[in-house]
Amino acid sequence: GLLAARLSAPVSVEDILSWQSITGPFPADGSAIVNVTAEVADDISVTLQSNLDGVTVSLPQPWGKFDQTRAPLYIEWSDRGWAPWEVFWFGRFTAVADFSNGLQPAVAVDITPRTRPSGSRRLSPSPGVHVRGYVPSFDPTDWLSALLESGGGLAAFSSLTIDDLQIGRLLWQGQEMGAATLRASVAAPAFEAD
C-alpha cells in the first residue's frame, strides 16, 4: 500500500453531531475512545472501531445501552464506488449505506443480532431505508415513544421498506402477542402495510 495510518482518540457524540450539523434530539450521549485506521492502496478505506464505553444510547432494547457497558461498533468507509459505508454493531445490526446521491440516500439494515457481520452486507442497497432480519422481542409502544422523542429521524430518506422482518415475541405494552412477520412500506405521503 501507499499509506497506512492508525490513531486512537476520545470522541464525543456532541462533537460528531456538531461536525455533521445534526440538530435536535439525538438518542445518544457521552464520549468513547475511537480507533481509526486509514489505508491507501488501489483503493482507499477508513475504519473506525469503538467499544462505546462511556456512551449512553437511549433506545429500547436490544439497541439501547448504558454508558458503562461495552457494545463494539465497527464502521468502514471505502471508495469502491457503491455503498461505501459498512456498519456492524455487535448484537444489534449490520448495515450498508450509500450517501453519494444526496437526493436519494440508500441504506440496507439487517437487525438480526449477530456476533460478527453477515455476508449479505455487501449487497448494494436501493434508494430509501430497507430493514430485514430477526428480532427476538419487539414492543412497538417502546419505539413510538423513542421516535417521538428523537423527532423521527427518517425525513432524509425517500422511503422505508420492511421486508419480512421476523419477530420472535411481539408485545403490546408488555402483553404477549406471539410471533409475527412484518412487511411494510412507508413513502411520503402514502403508507401501506400488510
Side-chain angles (χ1 to χ4, degrees):
L2 302 174
L3 170 71
R6 283 187 190 181
L7 69 95
S8 182
V11 177
S12 75
V13 172
E14 184 178 309
D15 288 343
I16 294 171
L17 297 177
S18 177
W19 170 53
Q20 289 296 305
S21 301
I22 297 172
T23 59
F26 193 77
D29 188 38
S31 85
I33 298 294
V34 176
N35 300 304
V36 180
T37 304
E39 295 182 7
V40 179
D42 292 335
D43 59 5
I44 302 168
S45 67
V46 178
T47 303
L48 296 93
Q49 292 178 288
S50 178
N51 286 329
L52 298 181
D53 290 325
V55 172
T56 299
V57 179
S58 302
L59 290 175
Q61 290 304 319
W63 297 279
K65 73 171 284 296
F66 298 108
D67 63 347
Q68 65 270 50
T69 58
R70 295 179 67 216
L73 176 67
Y74 174 91
I75 302 171
E76 181 181 355
W77 175 86
S78 173
D79 69 344
R80 68 179 164 262
W82 63 267
W85 292 92
E86 294 185 29
V87 180
F88 171 68
W89 194 12
F90 184 90
R92 289 161 173 86
F93 68 83
T94 303
V96 292
D98 187 348
F99 297 99
S100 61
N101 180 356
L103 299 175
Q104 294 279 321
V107 178
V109 182
D110 182 337
I111 59 173
T112 305
R114 299 182 193 282
T115 58
R116 66 185 77 152
S118 64
S120 64
R121 68 190 176 122
R122 296 196 177 272
L123 298 175
S124 180
S126 57
V129 177
H130 301 266
V131 179
R132 64 183 181 90
Y134 169 78
V135 178
S137 179
F138 179 73
D139 190 331
T141 56
D142 292 342
W143 281 95
L144 290 173
S145 301
L147 288 173
L148 290 173
E149 289 172 19
S150 70
L154 293 175
F157 297 96
S158 59
S159 66
L160 168 65
T161 303
I162 300 172
D163 297 313
D164 293 323
L165 178 62
Q166 303 296 315
I167 302 169
R169 291 177 58 228
L170 178 63
L171 306 169
W172 183 260
Q173 296 180 340
Q175 296 285 357
E176 182 84 37
M177 306 296 286
T181 298
L182 179 63
R183 287 180 295 279
S185 182
V186 180
F191 172 84
E192 51 179 88
D194 61 345

